[in-house]
Amino acid sequence: MIPDETLQKSFTILDNLSPSEILDLERIAEERRELFIHCAIQYNKSYQNLELNNLKNKIKKYDRFRKAGESTSSDQE
């Protein structure tokens, strides 16, 4: 289980992203990165407006809910 404080901090970072903004996960300390990714996945289950690229090193925020299987340009990154 993810600690509430960690979820809150992660959700705040994700809430503050602007639509179409890309968060480079290299900016997050390596020892915290995997936990942040788990928080982002949980965030996305609620808001469905994030995409983690195939390399798991960038997160893009959308301004709307995405439909399952909807393709995007960042799928190639």
Side-chain angles (χ1 to χ4, degrees):
M1 183 166 211
I2 301 171
D4 287 343
E5 184 178 332
T6 301
L7 273 174
Q8 187 175 30
K9 286 180 181 180
S10 299
F11 276 37
T12 299
I13 291 169
L14 296 168
D15 280 340
N16 288 330
L17 287 176
S18 300
S20 300
E21 186 175 354
I22 296 173
L23 174 63
D24 185 351
L25 296 177
E26 299 292 323
R27 294 177 47 198
I28 297 172
E30 189 172 345
E31 63 272 4
R32 295 182 184 159
R33 199 171 301 148
E34 192 65 34
L35 186 56
F36 182 84
I37 290 170
H38 287 292
C39 292
I41 290 168
Q42 189 165 340
Y43 179 97
N44 198 45
K45 286 180 182 179
S46 296
Y47 298 102
Q48 300 175 3
N49 65 346
L50 296 179
E51 179 179 22
L52 182 63
N53 72 345
N54 293 336
L55 299 176
K56 294 186 178 182
N57 63 356
K58 294 181 183 174
I59 292 177
K60 183 173 183 177
K61 185 173 185 179
Y62 292 89
D63 62 352
R64 60 181 175 81
F65 289 112
R66 292 187 50 234
K67 297 176 186 167
E70 184 176 346
S71 65
T72 62
S73 60
S74 66
D75 287 340
Q76 303 302 316
E77 293 179 23

